[in-house]
Structure formats: C-alpha cells, structure tokens
Amino acid sequence: MKDGTQSIDANSSAENVEQHLQELEKADYELLYYSQEQTFNADELSQLINEERLNKLMTQSDEFLSSLDGEIKDFND
C-alpha cells in the first residue's frame, strides 16, 4: 500500500504545481492587461520620478560604462 500512497501523493503534488503555474500565468496576463489600460500623462510621471535620483543613477551608469570600455580596451591590448 505504500506504493499506492506515494502515487497518490505524487499526483497531488503534480496537480498542485500545475494549478500554481496556471494561477501565475493568469496573474501575469492580468498584470499585463491592466498595465496596458493605464496611461500616464507627463505631469503624473513627473510626480512619480525622483529626478535627482534618476540623474545620479544615469551619471553612475555613464561612469561605469566608461570604465568598462577602458577595461575592455586594456584587455584587447
């Protein structure tokens, strides 16, 4: 009977995993669907974006890319 119990448990686990994956897929679809419905105008976006922080991040990314470019050139030599 132990083998029968394991088979039932395995089926239950597989069913649970499949159900969970279907729920995730549905949630992803709903998120995509609802995100496409929402439109933001420039004023709303400007309220959401921290311009000072964005500028700092852009400066850091520019510095990083510049240093990376230098490292790649040094590597080729």
Side-chain angles (χ1 to χ4, degrees):
M1 289 216 354
K2 188 175 183 180
D3 291 335
T5 303
Q6 288 178 341
S7 177
I8 292 170
D9 290 342
N11 288 340
S12 296
S13 295
E15 289 172 1
N16 288 337
V17 168
E18 184 175 344
Q19 180 181 1
H20 180 69
L21 290 174
Q22 288 174 352
E23 289 172 6
L24 287 175
E25 187 176 302
K26 181 180 176 186
D28 286 346
Y29 175 77
E30 289 175 354
L31 181 63
L32 177 64
Y33 177 78
Y34 290 118
S35 67
Q36 289 176 350
E37 279 188 0
Q38 299 175 3
T39 57
F40 296 97
N41 62 33
D43 292 334
E44 290 172 324
L45 286 176
S46 67
Q47 292 174 356
L48 296 173
I49 297 172
N50 181 339
E51 190 173 344
E52 181 180 341
R53 178 69 178 137
L54 179 61
N55 288 332
K56 285 181 184 178
L57 289 172
M58 290 175 66
T59 300
Q60 288 174 351
S61 67
D62 288 344
E63 290 171 0
F64 171 75
L65 291 174
S66 294
S67 69
L68 186 60
D69 186 46
E71 292 293 325
I72 291 172
K73 287 179 182 174
D74 289 344
F75 181 76
N76 287 334
D77 293 338

